[in-house]
Structures are given as C-alpha cells and as structure tokens.
Amino acid sequence: PAAPRATGEGGLYRDSCARRLSEVVAQIRDAVNAQDANRLSGIYLWNGLSNASATQVMERLHAIVQRPLVDIAPVYPDDPAPEPTDGAATEAGNASEFITPLPATPPRPVALRLEQTLSNGHTPSRTVLSLRRQYNCFWVTL
C-alpha cells in the first residue's frame, strides 16, 4: 500500500476547500509560482459554465499563471459616502465638516487584484479575480 501523505504535502488530492481568504491567496501564489493552471482551476467556481466557456476560462487561467506575480491585493466594495454632521457644525460656521459612518463590521474584499508583469518583465498586467462564497468556501471567478 502507498504510504500516507503528510499534511500539507503536494499532490492532486485536496480534502477541503479554502475557508479563509489567506488560503485563497496562498493557492493563487502557489499556482503562479508553479505555472500550473490546473492548480489555479481548483479554486475556480465552475458552476453554470458551458464547455466552450470553461475552455475559455482555462485559457485565461493558463495565461495568468505564465506571468510573474508581483502582488495580490484585496479589492473592497465602494467606500460609504461621507455624510454631513448634524446641525452643530453648520451653526458653528463650519459646513465642510463631514463624518463617515463606520460599518458594524469591516467590509470583506469582493475580489483579488493580481499585479503581474508580462513576459518582458517591464510591462504591468492586472487581473481581477472576483471572490465568491459558496459551500462555506471561497472561490474565484473571472
């Protein structure tokens, strides 16, 4: 019988999905470093894609993993618009004072922005992977 694999050891079998955003980032980084589109496809949400669309997605994932990775940055939903303060600031003659209500919980990223360079190493390239939460896991889409 084959020897059991140690936890975290490479291979195709994955017994769970990315439940934390840091795991998604690590999987993207690993896939790009290995230039492995199949590894990146493991965190892609394939639901509802036709065969033709899936082929196009795989071609795009292949192109993504071929470019050197510079950074992965979170993309947040639009910041809330500032609201004027109550009448006290206007009465004091300072109508330019604004407050921005803070959300009860910090906003979650809605996407990840991959900063890369093209094969020449100088021309920047940017790809945004949307984040989806399904089956209690994080997935990416183009």
Side-chain angles (χ1 to χ4, degrees):
R5 274 193 303 216
T7 303
E9 192 173 319
L12 295 177
Y13 176 73
R14 195 177 66 198
D15 63 349
S16 66
C17 58
R19 297 191 190 279
R20 293 188 310 245
L21 193 54
S22 60
E23 293 173 1
V24 174
V25 171
Q27 289 180 15
I28 292 170
R29 186 163 282 141
D30 290 347
V32 173
N33 288 340
Q35 294 185 329
D36 189 347
N38 287 323
R39 188 180 290 186
L40 186 56
S41 75
I43 58 171
Y44 196 86
L45 185 61
W46 295 99
N47 294 3
L49 289 181
S50 67
N51 287 343
S53 294
T55 299
Q56 291 174 345
V57 167
M58 276 306 295
E59 289 171 359
R60 289 188 64 191
L61 296 179
H62 179 74
I64 289 169
V65 299
Q66 299 307 308
R67 298 188 292 258
L69 185 63
V70 176
D71 190 25
I72 300 174
V75 176
Y76 292 97
D78 293 335
D79 292 332
E83 296 178 7
T85 59
D86 61 8
T90 306
E91 291 172 11
N94 187 0
S96 64
E97 188 175 325
F98 287 86
I99 60 168
T100 301
L102 295 175
T105 58
R108 290 186 177 186
V110 294
L112 294 172
R113 186 179 65 244
L114 280 59
E115 300 290 347
Q116 297 175 285
T117 58
L118 297 181
S119 59
N120 66 15
H122 302 292
T123 306
S125 173
R126 177 177 286 171
T127 304
V128 176
L129 298 174
S130 297
L131 288 169
R132 301 282 186 260
R133 188 105 166 132
Q134 192 167 346
Y135 313 120
N136 200 26
C137 299
F138 282 105
W139 305 93
V140 296
T141 60
L142 290 168

